Each structure stands twice: as C-alpha cells, then as structure tokens.
Amino acid sequence: MTTLHPTIAAVTDRIITRSAQRRAAYLGLMDRQREAGTNRGNLSCGNLAHGFAAAGDDKPVIRTGAAMNIGIVTSYNDMLSAHQPYGRYPEQIKLFAREVGATAQVAGGVPAMCDGVTQGQAGMDLSLFSRDNIAQGTVIALSHAMFEGALLLGICDKIVPGLLIGALRFGHLPQILIPAGPMPSGLANKEKQRVRQLYAEGKATRDELLEAEAASYHGAGTCTFYGTANSNQMMMELMGLHIPGSAFTNPGTKLRQELTRAATHRVAQIGWDGGDYRPLSRCVDEKAIVNAAIGLLATGGSTNHAIHLPAIARAAGIIIDWQDFDELSHAVPLLARVYPNGAGDVNNFHAAGGIGYVVRELLGAGLLHGDVLTVGGTMADYGNEPVLAGDTLQWQAAPATSRDDTMLRPVAAPFSPDGGMRLLAGNLGRAIIKTSAVAEDRWTIEAPCRIFDNQDAVLAAFKAGELERDVVVVVRFQGPRANGMPELHKLTPALGVLQDRGFRVALLTDGRMSGASGKVPAVIHLSPEALPGADGVSGPLAYLADGDVVRVCAVKGEVLALVDPAIWAARSPAVAPPPALGVGRELFALFRHHADEAEKGGSAMLAAMEAVTG
C-alpha cells in the first residue's frame, strides 16, 4: 500500500482537529434528519397527496413509498451554453429511474448566471452571492421531504458550489452531481487571447473581436478553457461525487447519455434502505475536501476555488484555510497545462488521459487520499475512463502514459514540482496568487503602485498611456462587503499588453480574478478588504497612496507596502465609493453588509448559519 505524503497527512490531520467540534455537530444533525426530518414516511396524507398529485404514471409508486423517489435540482436555462443541454435531462432521468424501479421528480430549479456574459458588466456584482442564492434554492427544492436521493444538475462557476452547499444541508441523502460536458473545441484559445490584446491596443475592430469570440464560444457545453467551470468538474471527480470519468465528455453524445443513466441507477443503489448506503454527508469529509484542493493544484485550476472550497467545507462542518492550500501546493506537483496555463483546452486534456490519468498518478505517488467514500466505488475507480462497447457503458484503465506530454505529465516528470497557488501575507493582509501560468522571473514584482476604485478607471488610464511603466495596479473596494467581489478579468488583456511591452506589472486587489487569469501576476482576494468591516476598521489597502512602492513576492510569500511606518500611521483611510445601484444590486445589500472575509468563503449566509449551529 502506498504511503501518504507526510505534508498531505499533516494538513489533513490539522483540518480534522480544527474541525472536530463543527463536524461532529453537522453529522449529528444529518443523523437526526434521516430519522425525524426530511423523510417521506413522516408526511401526512395531505402532504403526500400534494407531492404526487401531478406525477402521472409514477403516482402509484410514489404513493406507496416502496421505492426511492429521486429529487432533481436543475440549473437549466437555454441562454447559457453550459446549461442548455440540461433541458432534456429530467425526462431522461425519469425513464432511467423507472428502469431500476425508482421514480424521479424535478424538485426545483436554481439560477445559473454566467461570468462570461456578465464579465466587466454591472451584473458581475451579483456573481459571488449567486452561489449563496443557489444554495438556498437547493435547500428549498429538497425541503419537501419527498425524496430519498437527489441528482444535482449544474456545471459552471457558482452553480456547483451553490448546489453542493445547499445539498449538504440534506446530507443524509445519497446525491450525485451530473455534468453536461464541454463544447467541442473551436478557435484556439491562444488565438482568441491574441485578438483580445490587439483589440485592447486598438489594432483590431469590434467586429474582428466578436468574430474571434464567437468562433471560440460556438455551441452547447461549457467553455473549453480551464477556468472555474471546468475546475468544478475536476473537483467533483476528485471528491468522488460524479460517476467516474463524467467530467469532460461532450454534450449530445451517446456516452454522455449513458453516464447520466449510470448516475440515475447508481443513486438508487446507494440509498439508506440498502446495504451500500452512501449519504452525501459522509462522502464530503475532510479527506474529500483535501482531495479537491490537491486536484486543483495538480491541474492548475481556478483561484476562485480558494473561496468556494472553504465555503463548501463549511457547509459540511469542515474548516480549511489558505495556509492549507499553500502547504499542499508545496507538496503537489503540477501535472497538467491546460489553457490559460498551456496551449490546449479541456478536450485536449481529456484526450491526453484527463482526470483518470491524474487520479491514478496521484494515488500511485501517495499524493491523494484513496480511502474516501465516493458515490461511484473507490477512489481508484476514478483512475478509469468510460467507454462504450456497442451500446454498453464500460470503464477501462486510463492510459499508462500521457497521450500528449505537452498537456499532461506523470508525477515523476511534472511541469513543476509546485502546485502553483500561494498564500501571500504581510502588512497589507493575506492574499492568493496563482503562479502556474506566470513566468518565474515575474514571481516577484516591486514597483510604485497606481490606485483605482474600479476596473473601468484602470482601462481609461491604460488607453491614456498613464501605465507605461513598471507598476503595481491596485484596484480596491472590490471585496465581498464593498460590491460583491466581482471578477476583474477584463483587465487581463490590458495588463498583458503592458507586460509584453517589457514593463514589470502586477495586479493587487481585494476582488477576484477570473479562473481564466493567466500570465500577469495577480495578487487577489486580499483580506481584510479595503471597506471597513463590522468593527468600522478599514483594511490596510485603504491606506495605500499613489506612488507607494509595493512588493509582491510568490517566492517568499509576501505582500508588502514599503512605506515608512510614521507616514503610514499619519494617514486616514480612503473613502469608499457609494454602493452601486441598478440590475438588482440593491436587493443583495444584505449579503454584502454581513459577508465575512474571502478566506472563509465571503458568505453572509454561512456566517449566520454557524451562529445558529455552533
């Protein structure tokens, strides 16, 4: 048996110890829910009759309570490419459930907003908090006590974390997440990036840019770059919450349909009335959370999960922080380079061996917990890939060697010995930097800063030629409490242009950067944020002034303002801009006012939950 890497063992043990009280309270609540809570057998006749009134042919089976009734929580809409394929899933799942004597009903829908559509727009201010709204929607969907299992249909940035956070409050149920898969590859991402930078420089027209974007985002399925959406799918595999190998099979294929059928059959097999009960609360434990973090590091996944994974963990009574990420990053090698960390997209990654190859490599090297309870067998089963033999779904071992070593490499010869996500700390606070796509000679940037309160002002300064120098671009008042912590991805082309012109450039912000961020060093999620907290105290970022020299260093783990302490102490904090109104942002004021720090997940909902549950 392979020995677990000592750093992974130590971090896991620390998380278990740190979480002991909350985890025990959570598991106790889940046990009570199974016996006396959301249980169909506890419904009155009137309750039950309402629940099956419109169930058609399934009504007699639901009425007797003799078989599992599966709740479907769906994020379907047909405006977003990633979620459009889910439209026909409920009717398919109902048929698949009947094949094993079960029934299924759509329990409810949750919103699915796309950061790709709202990027740089006012609607992006709702993005982070849409996760908590989705979690609440999932709870409402499952609150009817009609279900003994659930299937969760979601794929993109906030949708999977939101579904999982909500589903964990019904952790006594077996639950499986079902992806829809990425769209086929279109215009190469490197070419798309090239046209974006040309447009930022005024060397490409809007029509040329739109043509490039439309050739890249061209059909049903997730975007093919390795951002937050596809990192979600990887994490669900590494946590054992998918049917093995489900993540990156394209929509509309026979294999995709058979994986959905397998998920439906499987959730019916792992209910509490059988011999293989696998409730979500027991699947999502400390080791599963660590596995998700390891997968994120090994594949160069999205920095957004430095916020989402702690939030998911909290919903299961588990506490993980950025120090845990940092220590794991030093132990976990980078095995994959998927755009924006490499040339190929997730389809190329999947063809090279994909997640199955990564899982097998990590397990073989003692870099992954193999003894976790998964929905699809053992963790070793996630080292296999699904195939069709005729019309029959089967699994075969992932390739013994990478089919493309420019995208996927073994533990013995990684792209980097480091997972590429670091904690930076200093007199400006605590922050995250992703180094896996950044050239090592840019891991340390020391330069005068230029301060902005919004990303549009940065772009205006860029177009005016005011940033043609070594500079740390500071964008503050972008934290959860200030404006909902929008992503600042539309800064990437402009900052990339400055870097390509030979300047030493970095971004420093209390906001987020997209999972698609790339070659420019971005120090993000800085906490405490600039806006005063509940105690009325502003974060250090509010005291920075234009021209202050700032040092960010991923080598030493530093984020520092190199300012004389006496000068610093004499300053007053910058005044925050007034809250923005419109596109419904005012309805999310409650989320903003009570959100906690990014390192905990930036959530008012979870903070309030913990005040109630202990």
Side-chain angles (χ1 to χ4, degrees), residues 114-161:
C114 178
D115 292 356
V117 176
T118 59
Q119 196 69 248
Q121 306 298 317
M124 175 55 81
D125 291 1
L126 308 183
S127 174
L128 176 61
F129 295 140
S130 76
R131 180 196 66 196
D132 292 7
N133 180 278
I134 290 161
Q136 291 171 329
T138 303
V139 165
I140 291 168
L142 296 177
S143 68
H144 297 92
M146 286 290 296
F147 311 110
E148 291 77 44
L151 296 174
L152 310 175
L153 312 185
I155 198 162
C156 281
D157 295 25
K158 315 307 171 298
I159 294 87
V160 166

Side-chain angles (χ1 to χ4, degrees), residues 240-283:
L241 301 179
H242 277 173
I243 291 297
S246 297
F248 298 136
T249 297
N250 299 126
T253 62
K254 176 66 173 175
L255 180 55
R256 170 55 65 200
Q257 178 178 296
E258 290 307 307
L259 287 165
T260 302
R261 171 182 268 120
T264 308
H265 289 183
R266 182 61 179 164
V267 79
Q269 294 166 355
I270 57 175
W272 66 52
D273 59 350
D276 193 18
Y277 178 38
R278 298 183 181 224
L280 184 66
S281 59
R282 299 287 176 174
C283 291

Side-chain angles (χ1 to χ4, degrees), residues 296-377:
L296 193 69
L297 297 164
T299 59
S302 169
T303 52
N304 274 324
H305 289 302
I307 298 175
H308 296 322
L309 193 57
I312 292 167
R314 287 172 80 178
I318 298 166
I319 306 167
I320 183 171
D321 61 26
W322 291 343
Q323 183 65 40
D324 300 323
F325 278 94
D326 187 83
E327 292 182 26
L328 291 171
S329 185
H330 283 82
V332 176
L334 183 67
L335 304 185
R337 283 207 179 277
V338 192
Y339 183 84
N341 300 341
D345 64 15
V346 293
N347 292 310
N348 305 129
F349 167 72
H350 186 61
I355 293 175
Y357 180 91
V358 170
V359 167
R360 197 197 58 242
E361 282 292 310
L362 292 172
L363 282 174
L367 292 168
L368 197 68
H369 290 288
D371 56 340
V372 294
L373 185 68
T374 76
V375 300

Side-chain angles (χ1 to χ4, degrees), residues 146-301:
M146 286 290 296
F147 311 110
E148 291 77 44
L151 296 174
L152 310 175
L153 312 185
I155 198 162
C156 281
D157 295 25
K158 315 307 171 298
I159 294 87
V160 166
L163 285 168
L164 195 47
I165 289 167
L168 280 162
R169 307 318 297 175
F170 293 81
H172 62 298
L173 302 178
Q175 303 186 54
I176 298 177
L177 287 105
I178 299 182
M183 68 179 69
S185 301
L187 180 72
N189 284 294
K190 287 281 188 182
E191 175 61 15
K192 176 187 67 179
Q193 181 189 48
R194 185 187 72 83
V195 177
R196 283 179 174 177
Q197 289 203 181
L198 287 174
Y199 182 75
E201 295 178 275
K203 297 178 180 178
T205 67
R206 178 179 170 83
D207 285 345
E208 288 170 330
L209 178 62
L210 183 57
E211 184 63 29
E213 300 285 0
S216 178
Y217 309 120
H218 62 90
T222 55
C223 310
T224 60
F225 63 82
Y226 196 47
T228 310
N230 288 317
S231 298
N232 273 336
Q233 305 314 306
M234 174 280 304
M235 291 202 316
M236 294 307 99
E237 298 265 341
L238 272 288
M239 293 175 75
L241 301 179
H242 277 173
I243 291 297
S246 297
F248 298 136
T249 297
N250 299 126
T253 62
K254 176 66 173 175
L255 180 55
R256 170 55 65 200
Q257 178 178 296
E258 290 307 307
L259 287 165
T260 302
R261 171 182 268 120
T264 308
H265 289 183
R266 182 61 179 164
V267 79
Q269 294 166 355
I270 57 175
W272 66 52
D273 59 350
D276 193 18
Y277 178 38
R278 298 183 181 224
L280 184 66
S281 59
R282 299 287 176 174
C283 291
V284 181
D285 64 3
E286 297 91 341
K287 292 179 179 179
I289 293 292
V290 170
N291 277 2
I294 290 167
L296 193 69
L297 297 164
T299 59

